[in-house]
Amino acid sequence: MSRFKTFPKGGIHPTDYKEATCNKEVQNASLTSTAIIPLSQHIGAPSECLVQKGDLVEEEQIIGKSGGFVSANIHSPVPGEVLEIKKIFLPNGMAVDAVVIEVKGEFKRLGKDADLRDWSGMSNEEISAKIAEMGIVGQGGATFPTHVKLSLPKGKSCETFIINAVECEPYLTSDHRIMLEKGSEVLEGIQIMQRLLSPLKTVIGIEANKMDAVELLQSLITEKGLDIEVMPLEVKYPQGAEKNLIKAITGREVPSGKLPLEVGVINANVGTCLSVYEALVLDKPVIERVVTVSGGAIKNPSNLKARIGTSFRSLIDDCGGFSEEPVKIIAGGPMMGFAVYDLDTPVTKGTSGILALTSKEIKAAKPTPCLSCGRCVSSCPMGLNPTKIFKYIDFNMTEEALEAGLMDCVECGSCSYMCPAHIPLVQGFRGGKKIIRKKSMKKAGQ
């Protein structure tokens, strides 16, 4: 039995493949001649485009204004001229408007020392406004606007503020490297958010396969005298899924259909904490992020700090290109990521990784009928019966799928990973959720 905490139901132990990049320092990615910046890089309303073809823009200029309460500003990651506004497809299949900028002009920060700003005298309203202005969103994959998450509704309070530093997806090590290389900055970002939330307790959850990060952060916290706990967690997938992490750390279960605040919890990813630090201390918007580029088909797997809008192709070239022809390119991790068919796909605020996988890593096989082995049930961290829900969707019985808990599925991929019949369970659940959302919108007259 592990001496570390974890969630009680299900979970799996896939090979993590992190050794290819976990010891590699973050390197700056090459600057490219053009940048493609999607106007929807977050959950919620797309940003409103503020530029048109022929406009000259400065680095860090707002080119997409927040389109509503749940939305986020988009800043130009480069100086240059707007070549066009065009439709592109994101890895999740969404078609969005994107601003194409040809790089020209002067970069504001390259090669210059940054002025450090003191946020301690700012009011909570000023801090919250700065986070919103800088376009910060959750960088663990959810891309929920951070200023919205940190705005507590009237009558609600945050008992436990959890920093999600688990990074349980195989291959990915960008958060791990951020903790090792920007530990002090991450902790100051946490302090800024503590000011807004006034939590009774703040916990950084880290899987026990990153004990160097656990020890470093603990040492910094002791040295600075901060009110933050570092909690090593059992190495088990999907430890970093929001509801599973809350269960592991607090023992509380978020009710079906409810948000973490229902049990007094607010979550933030470790990369988000760094962005909050950069916004308040460096006056810097989200124009770049750390991306792990890895997989068996990458010649020199690396962690790269890339400008938003940089193409996947450019980052792969920075890693020496392909060592062999990949059979699959994935945006994100192999368990919850999305297959990519166009290497000109741009990096967004939510791009944590780019994986080029070989046939040996994919182990593709044709689906066969369900064997009724029950492995999907025993692996589900939400206590669902995946094969039963899949059959309901397959027979267009969406109401029955809903009653069986379809919307509680976190799409972690544990069931698909364990299925010996290779049934595309997660793809089925995603399709089922889309059908249900369309029916709901039609019913509401939208």
Side-chain angles (χ1 to χ4, degrees):
M1 185 176 175
S2 172
R3 61 192 172 98
F4 300 116
K5 285 188 173 183
T6 187
F7 55 94
K9 297 175 186 173
I12 58 175
H13 297 85
T15 306
D16 70 16
Y17 298 105
K18 292 179 185 286
E19 66 279 359
T21 56
C22 66
N23 293 317
K24 292 188 176 179
E25 291 186 4
V26 176
Q27 304 292 321
N28 288 327
S30 298
L31 291 169
T32 53
S33 59
T34 57
I36 302 175
I37 304 107
L39 290 169
S40 184
Q41 302 182 39
H42 47 264
I43 285 180
S47 303
E48 175 190 345
C49 187
L50 299 181
V51 295
Q52 56 186 349
K53 182 180 178 180
D55 283 355
L56 295 177
V57 297
E58 296 182 353
E59 181 190 19
E60 302 183 5
Q61 177 181 326
I62 295 179
I63 57 173
K65 182 183 175 185
S66 173
F69 179 61
V70 182
S71 186
N73 288 335
I74 305 285
H75 300 74
S76 178
V78 294
E81 180 179 350
V82 177
L83 294 182
E84 61 176 326
I85 316 291
K86 68 175 185 178
K87 287 279 184 192
I88 65 166
F89 283 96
L90 296 179
N92 63 5
M94 280 180 59
V96 301
D97 287 330
V99 180
V100 182
I101 298 175
E102 181 183 25
V103 179
K104 58 173 69 170
E106 185 180 357
F107 285 84
K108 292 170 63 175
R109 294 183 186 269
L110 280 181
K112 300 172 185 171
D113 293 330
D115 293 328
L116 303 184
R117 303 187 177 209
D118 180 7
W119 54 271
S120 61
M122 296 173 68
S123 68
N124 285 4
E125 290 74 20
E126 289 171 331
I127 292 174
S128 184
K130 177 61 75 173
I131 290 172
E133 178 192 340
M134 295 302 178
I136 300 173
V137 302
Q139 293 183 18
T143 64
F144 192 83
T146 301
H147 68 284
V148 180
K149 178 177 277 192
L150 298 177
S151 302
L152 295 176
K154 194 174 181 181
K156 295 285 186 180
S157 62
C158 173
E159 293 180 29
T160 309
F161 181 31
I162 294 178
I163 311 306
N164 188 343
V166 173
E167 200 169 46
C168 59
E169 276 267 12
Y171 295 92
L172 304 186
T173 60
S174 54
D175 285 353
H176 187 183
R177 292 311 309 178
I178 286 173
M179 287 187 282
L180 291 178
E181 298 176 35
K182 297 288 183 182
S184 291
E185 291 86 344
V186 167
L187 292 177
E188 189 163 349
I190 294 172
Q191 288 179 271
I192 294 168
M193 289 188 276
Q194 281 179 315
R195 262 279 298 275
L196 297 180
L197 298 173
S198 301
L200 298 177
K201 188 176 183 182
T202 301
V203 183
I204 304 176
I206 307 177
E207 274 193 330
N209 57 359
K210 308 174 193 58
M211 290 307 291
D212 50 356
V214 170
E215 291 166 6
L216 174 67
L217 293 183
Q218 188 56 68
S219 169
L220 291 170
I221 288 168
T222 302
E223 177 186 319
K224 297 172 185 289
L226 304 179
D227 184 19
I228 301 172
E229 177 185 353
V230 180
M231 184 181 291
L233 299 166
E234 183 180 330
V235 180
K236 187 170 78 169
Y237 183 85
Q239 192 77 259
E242 189 174 63
K243 292 185 177 180
N244 299 117
L245 182 60
I246 292 171
K247 181 70 175 177
I249 289 178
T250 70
R252 296 180 178 180
E253 190 160 316
V254 180
S256 176
K258 300 293 184 182
L259 297 172
L261 196 53
E262 192 71 18
V263 293
V265 174
I266 295 283
N267 280 299
N269 172 266
V270 69
T272 310
C273 299
L274 178 60
S275 290
V276 169
Y277 164 85
E278 291 181 337
L280 272 294
V281 179
L282 305 181
D283 197 32
K284 177 183 173 185
V286 181
I287 58 168
E288 56 187 5
R289 65 155 297 148
V290 178
V291 181
T292 299
V293 183
S294 190
I298 295 291
K299 193 172 286 184
N300 180 26
S302 306
N303 287 302
L304 299 173
K305 186 165 70 175
R307 300 263 169 168
I308 303 301
T310 307
S311 72
F312 283 23
R313 185 189 310 279
S314 176
L315 296 192
I316 291 170
D317 287 345
D318 279 346
C319 295
F322 296 127
S323 56
E324 63 179 275
E325 191 66 27
V327 298
K328 196 172 189 179
I329 307 289
I330 295 175
M335 303 298 291
M336 296 186 73
F338 293 90
V340 173
Y341 301 96
D342 182 0
L343 289 182
D344 291 324
T345 298
V347 169
T348 65
K349 296 175 184 178
T351 305
S352 56
I354 300 170
L355 306 181
L357 304 179
T358 65
S359 56
K360 187 179 177 182
E361 292 168 300
I362 292 294
K363 298 175 184 173
K366 287 185 178 179
T368 64
C370 174
L371 304 175
S372 299
C373 66
R375 292 183 189 179
C376 61
V377 177
S378 60
S379 65
C380 179
M382 301 306 292
L384 303 175
N385 185 332
T387 187
K388 185 179 179 181
I389 297 174
F390 185 85
K391 286 176 181 173
Y392 281 144
I393 296 169
D394 205 26
F395 287 98
N396 201 26
M397 299 166 67
T398 50
E399 289 301 321
E400 287 80 357
L402 268 178
E403 289 177 11
L406 171 61
M407 302 312 281
D408 287 328
C409 169
V410 295
E411 303 174 17
C412 67
S414 296
C415 54
S416 296
Y417 182 84
M418 294 300 292
C419 179
H422 306 287
I423 298 171
L425 294 163
V426 175
Q427 289 90 332
F429 301 152
R430 286 173 177 163
K433 288 179 180 179
K434 280 185 180 176
I435 293 170
I436 287 168
R437 290 189 184 110
K438 281 185 179 177
K439 284 184 175 179
S440 298
M441 290 173 69
K442 188 175 180 181
K443 194 174 180 181
Q446 298 179 23

